[in-house]
Amino acid sequence: NYPDIVAYGGWPLDDHPPGGFYSAEPANRSVKTAMPYGIPLRALYSKNIKNLMFAGRNISASHAALTSARVMGTCAVMGQAVGTAAWIAVRDSVGPRGVYENAIDELRQTLMYDDCYIPFARMDVGTLTKSAELYGSSPENLENLRNGLDRPRDGSDNGWHCEKGGYFEYRFKTPEYIKELRLVFDSDLNR
């Protein structure tokens, strides 16, 4: 669990023999990963070229790790992380290492706000949301609506479910002006 995880993978380790088609070894070895794993920002930028970032099959990873991380879905989430990091770098006039050193929390929170899943991370929930009293037609698991975890964790659902016509409600002690409302629906990550 690295403090700079900005992307994830979960494809099985899918190792092909270096000899290719003509190898006498089995065609491939596939080993499932236990759960989605995190990919740190430090694996996505060059250690010796000041302004170079990676988001694909060229990341800094061992041969074994790359057999999982090389798939297109994983490359896509790395691309979003690198693109967002590049935006912060340009805005702050720093290189990728500067984002890691000075803005990693902002990068991670921005990615999660954009509905990126980051293993082991919790999204900051606004003060207004935290201070509200929460009611709903299905009172079980209502706190999951504001716990900062957008996906199932440790075998638990981490969702809120209701029958058709169900509702949830945030009640405030004093009238509040709400400028923006954000709802994130399940993207069926575990299908």
Side-chain angles (χ1 to χ4, degrees):
N1 185 358
Y2 301 103
D4 61 327
I5 291 174
V6 294
Y8 73 94
W11 190 260
L13 297 171
D14 186 24
D15 192 18
H16 298 266
F21 293 113
Y22 303 109
S23 175
E25 295 181 56
N28 74 320
R29 283 175 251 158
S30 182
V31 178
K32 289 185 179 184
T33 56
M35 59 184 280
Y37 55 85
I39 299 171
L41 179 62
R42 288 170 292 163
L44 306 180
Y45 65 83
S46 175
K47 73 177 187 175
N48 57 359
I49 300 175
K50 187 170 126 179
N51 217 15
L52 181 61
M53 299 178 85
F54 311 104
R57 296 174 177 182
N58 54 354
I59 67 169
S60 179
S62 69
H63 169 78
L66 200 57
T67 66
S68 171
R70 66 181 172 75
V71 298
M72 292 301 99
T74 304
C75 291
V77 296
M78 288 187 287
Q80 185 167 0
V82 164
T84 305
W87 168 75
I88 292 172
V90 169
R91 182 198 69 194
D92 295 352
S93 299
V94 298
R97 184 171 282 113
V99 174
Y100 166 71
E101 293 170 346
N102 304 312
I104 192 64
D105 291 334
E106 178 189 4
L107 172 59
R108 288 163 47 97
Q109 290 300 317
T110 301
L111 289 166
M112 287 186 287
Y113 187 82
D114 289 339
D115 201 27
C116 290
Y117 170 63
I118 299 178
F120 319 111
R122 185 180 297 266
M123 186 168 62
D124 290 339
V125 178
T127 305
L128 186 61
T129 300
K130 288 178 190 174
S131 67
E133 293 179 38
L134 194 52
Y135 298 90
S137 57
S138 296
E140 314 79 48
N141 303 320
L142 273 171
E143 283 300 319
N144 289 351
L145 292 170
R146 62 179 176 191
N147 69 8
L149 303 172
D150 288 341
R151 303 292 192 268
R153 291 280 174 106
D154 302 322
S156 66
D157 181 333
N158 195 50
W160 179 72
H161 306 277
C162 66
E163 299 295 322
K164 185 176 179 179
Y167 71 94
F168 64 89
E169 178 181 341
Y170 288 87
R171 294 183 188 168
F172 306 100
K173 294 180 176 132
T174 59
E176 298 285 348
Y177 174 76
I178 298 175
K179 180 176 143 187
E180 178 182 47
L181 177 65
R182 180 173 181 267
L183 297 174
V184 177
F185 294 97
D186 182 16
S187 59
D188 200 16
L189 177 71
N190 291 324
R191 66 170 186 255

